[in-house]
Amino acid sequence: MPLETTGARQRLALARLTTGLAILNTLWHLPPGDALVDEWSRKEDGEDPRPGRLSAEQYEA
């Protein structure tokens, strides 16, 4: 009796599609890098900047 793999393939394809759409949705709703730089600069007035921060260009990439 041959194994039925068509159902498994369809479920895997649907899982991949759903995951991809969830990732795109998350990335679509992220704020632009400039908004984060403005927020950080307001919080950093008088404070030492934290190491390892991303620039706006790095965040956008």
Side-chain angles (χ1 to χ4, degrees):
M1 177 176 220
L3 295 174
E4 286 192 35
T5 58
T6 56
R9 286 182 181 157
Q10 290 173 348
R11 288 192 305 271
L12 180 59
L14 183 59
R16 287 178 176 167
L17 177 67
T18 304
T19 303
L21 290 174
I23 291 170
L24 286 175
N25 188 37
T26 301
L27 292 175
W28 186 267
H29 289 91
L30 286 175
D34 296 338
L36 294 177
V37 170
D38 292 341
E39 181 67 25
W40 289 336
S41 64
R42 281 184 288 206
K43 289 182 178 182
E44 288 178 350
D45 289 339
E47 298 178 12
D48 291 333
R50 289 189 244 168
R53 284 242 169 119
L54 296 176
S55 68
E57 293 80 19
Q58 290 170 327
Y59 177 80
E60 291 290 335

